[in-house]
Amino acid sequence: MVRSVRDHNGDFVYFGVGRFKDKNASVSQHTDNDFQEAIMEYQSLNYLKSTGVLDAATTEMMRRPRCGLKDKHNTVQNKSVESFVLHKSRWEKKHLTYGITKYSKWLHWSVVDREIAKAFSLWSEHIDLTFTQHRNEPVDIDIRFEKYIHHDENPFDGPGQVLAHAFIPKHGGDIHFDDTEHWTVNSTNGTNLLQVATHEVGHSLGLLDTRDQSDAMYFAYLGYDPNFQLSRDDIFGIQRLYGKKNRYRSWHDGENNIGMASNTITSRPSVAQESELCTSKNIDAIFQTDDDSTIVFLRNKYYKLLQNEVAPGYPKDISDGWPGLPGNIDAAFTYENGKTYFFQGNKYWRYRGRQIDGDYPREISDGFPGIPNNLNAAMLWWNSNSTVYFFKDRKFWLYDPNTTPPVKPSYPKPISNIEGLPDQIDAALHHPNGNMYFFRGDKYYRVDGKSSTVDHSGQPYPRRTASWWFGCKNLTRDSTHLTNYEHF
């Protein structure tokens, strides 16, 4: 059976998603009566007819990818919120760090980073916890892709069995994925990393498995779900541990401290009121780097963004950050392979990290056939690893390098197809939190990718970019933006 480890007090140390072993491996370990009782208990726990016979329905349930927590301790018998909570084990601080110290052989490291960040953001959207990835330094939650024996007394057992396991908060919250599984993204093939990671993060935060198939914390993995999200019960469960997200936040050194909202930003920002970024009517480009830093380009300078502010020490010269790259960039994005593309006029450049990646610049018409020159913006779409959307004037183009031709004859299409956006935009960003942001003038819009409309939840868009993204000083925000603040 799927294993679960106990500490010296008898408490469960970790949960995992996996399968039951082959039935013949278990029969020899039990007497007939013990085996029949075990089957009856298993059937009862999984809402099957409790016959004690290892019938087809029971065998099929056992073969499902599933959580490794021992079943009689792993069942939500009712829908009370309390039944989601594990031993009241929870993190006692609001700002947690995580690091991915061993990557998967199946996916590029930048893709793994992005999907893990999405998994954390699905939970942080509903509670006042933040999760920041750190590299080469101590972290709260260590994440690794391992095979077989990996030094936690619970070796993985090869493909098609246990998928992953996670430790509860009081035991460190670390998460391990079995890298003999075929990890995939946005595919019905293999095992979806985002869905399993979200489940394991739930355990790392202190939640039990459930028996409702609509829950992210459902004990079994049911296959790729293109509309995957937290359920109402997932949200209630995590809020039972950490409380509801406080929508009123102060602006103090970029931290999301809880505080009373006011009509002006009174705490110290990192960008002065007279900064060019604060006074500019628009930005040139915004993009994520291969290490998931958010970068803004404005003329010949670049700024690194923290949460709600600019990092200390910026701006810096673009030519220093990316040697050989000019200023006044039109658009930029980072592809699934970790390479960043920059566009200006009829040229484009490709960089791996901060080093130019070949003989550049090149003609846009050669590298991206069907895409016009003098772009306004570029970004990966919300549910794609390879499809890029390019924007110019009042139109946009979908570029898919996996099709021939990469731009379908039905493009370009009007930007007005994305309901609620202005006719023309200056910059666009697909953020690791899963949201898409469009910038026009000194304001920005958040778009729901599933509906392709401007998000109408919470307070209205557009909002002022300088105050909400850059932490600019002495900028008065509309009172309508203050009653239900969300990051971005």
Side-chain angles (χ1 to χ4, degrees), residues 383-456:
N383 63 346
S384 171
N385 297 322
S386 59
T387 302
V388 186
Y389 277 62
F390 292 93
F391 300 83
K392 179 180 178 179
D393 298 332
R394 298 186 176 187
K395 298 177 181 180
F396 69 91
W397 289 254
L398 182 153
Y399 186 90
D400 187 346
N402 299 315
T403 64
T404 303
V407 178
K408 295 180 180 179
S410 57
Y411 287 89
K413 296 182 178 180
I415 291 178
S416 58
N417 283 3
I418 306 174
E419 184 180 339
L421 282 187
D423 288 341
Q424 188 171 341
I425 63 172
D426 299 319
L429 174 70
H430 182 188
H431 197 276
N433 64 17
N435 292 320
M436 297 182 298
Y437 300 94
F438 295 86
F439 299 78
R440 173 60 175 167
D442 61 355
K443 296 180 174 61
Y444 75 98
Y445 303 74
R446 186 172 72 189
V447 167
D448 179 351
K450 294 180 181 180
S451 63
S452 292
T453 61
V454 171
D455 191 351
H456 296 297

Side-chain angles (χ1 to χ4, degrees), residues 118-261:
K118 286 181 183 178
F120 279 107
S121 70
L122 284 172
W123 295 106
S124 64
E125 179 71 16
H126 303 284
I127 55 176
D128 273 327
L129 263 62
T130 64
F131 303 98
T132 304
Q133 183 178 1
H134 284 181
R135 303 182 191 275
N136 302 319
E137 55 188 282
V139 293
D140 298 308
I141 300 171
D142 180 55
I143 299 172
R144 303 199 306 270
F145 288 78
E146 298 282 6
K147 297 178 182 178
Y148 303 105
I149 297 174
H150 55 281
H151 311 296
D152 66 0
E153 300 182 9
N154 292 277
F156 288 126
D157 43 16
Q161 301 292 329
V162 175
L163 303 181
H165 54 233
F167 293 78
I168 64 176
K170 73 175 182 178
H171 292 288
D174 292 348
I175 300 172
H176 301 157
F177 297 91
D178 184 354
D179 210 32
T180 65
E181 307 294 339
H182 181 192
W183 297 104
T184 59
V185 176
N186 297 329
S187 174
T188 56
N189 297 322
T191 304
N192 183 263
L193 177 58
L194 174 62
Q195 291 173 219
V196 175
T198 301
H199 181 100
E200 297 305 329
V201 169
H203 288 322
S204 184
L205 297 179
L207 293 183
L208 283 168
D209 286 323
T210 75
R211 297 293 188 207
D212 188 329
Q213 292 189 16
S214 65
D215 297 340
M217 296 310 298
Y218 180 57
F219 76 101
Y221 174 74
L222 300 177
Y224 172 56
D225 177 4
N227 299 312
F228 177 74
Q229 59 186 340
L230 298 188
S231 71
R232 180 174 178 270
D233 292 317
D234 292 320
I235 296 169
F236 282 176
I238 201 66
Q239 289 180 341
R240 178 64 181 84
L241 277 174
Y242 298 101
K244 293 183 178 180
K245 193 176 189 73
N246 192 315
R247 304 300 183 179
Y248 296 92
R249 294 176 178 172
S250 66
W251 292 59
H252 176 66
D253 296 337
E255 297 291 337
N256 288 322
N257 299 325
I258 296 175
M260 295 300 294

Side-chain angles (χ1 to χ4, degrees), residues 321-427:
W322 291 266
L325 188 66
N328 298 302
I329 292 296
D330 296 329
F333 72 89
T334 300
Y335 235 145
E336 59 178 338
N337 58 11
K339 296 184 180 182
T340 303
Y341 293 77
F342 301 94
F343 301 82
Q344 183 201 69
N346 63 347
K347 306 289 187 183
Y348 78 96
W349 291 255
R350 187 178 74 192
Y351 281 72
R352 179 181 289 276
R354 300 302 179 98
Q355 299 300 317
I356 198 163
D357 188 36
D359 184 17
Y360 290 92
R362 300 178 184 178
E363 298 286 333
I364 292 176
S365 58
D366 292 337
F368 294 85
I371 299 303
N373 299 327
N374 301 303
L375 295 163
N376 294 127
M379 63 178 288
L380 292 179
W381 202 240
W382 75 278
N383 63 346
S384 171
N385 297 322
S386 59
T387 302
V388 186
Y389 277 62
F390 292 93
F391 300 83
K392 179 180 178 179
D393 298 332
R394 298 186 176 187
K395 298 177 181 180
F396 69 91
W397 289 254
L398 182 153
Y399 186 90
D400 187 346
N402 299 315
T403 64
T404 303
V407 178
K408 295 180 180 179
S410 57
Y411 287 89
K413 296 182 178 180
I415 291 178
S416 58
N417 283 3
I418 306 174
E419 184 180 339
L421 282 187
D423 288 341
Q424 188 171 341
I425 63 172
D426 299 319

Side-chain angles (χ1 to χ4, degrees), residues 86-139:
L86 170 69
H87 301 313
K88 297 297 194 317
S89 178
R90 64 190 297 274
W91 293 95
E92 298 301 328
K93 56 183 180 179
K94 290 182 177 292
H95 306 296
L96 297 173
T97 59
Y98 69 92
I100 305 173
T101 54
K102 191 173 183 180
Y103 283 86
S104 173
K105 69 177 183 181
W106 299 99
L107 297 168
H108 189 275
W109 65 266
S110 64
V111 176
V112 173
D113 281 357
R114 184 185 66 231
E115 297 304 298
I116 297 297
K118 286 181 183 178
F120 279 107
S121 70
L122 284 172
W123 295 106
S124 64
E125 179 71 16
H126 303 284
I127 55 176
D128 273 327
L129 263 62
T130 64
F131 303 98
T132 304
Q133 183 178 1
H134 284 181
R135 303 182 191 275
N136 302 319
E137 55 188 282
V139 293

Side-chain angles (χ1 to χ4, degrees), residues 43-113:
Q43 290 168 331
S44 175
L45 289 169
N46 289 279
Y47 306 111
L48 300 172
K49 187 174 181 179
S50 187
T51 63
V53 176
L54 194 59
D55 53 24
T58 305
T59 302
E60 174 61 26
M61 178 63 76
M62 286 181 171
R63 287 176 176 169
R64 287 185 180 182
R66 52 166 293 153
C67 184
L69 179 61
K70 191 173 180 181
D71 293 290
K72 67 182 180 180
H73 295 283
N74 194 30
T75 303
V76 176
Q77 298 286 4
N78 55 65
K79 300 304 293 184
S80 69
V81 175
E82 186 68 27
S83 59
F84 284 86
V85 179
L86 170 69
H87 301 313
K88 297 297 194 317
S89 178
R90 64 190 297 274
W91 293 95
E92 298 301 328
K93 56 183 180 179
K94 290 182 177 292
H95 306 296
L96 297 173
T97 59
Y98 69 92
I100 305 173
T101 54
K102 191 173 183 180
Y103 283 86
S104 173
K105 69 177 183 181
W106 299 99
L107 297 168
H108 189 275
W109 65 266
S110 64
V111 176
V112 173
D113 281 357

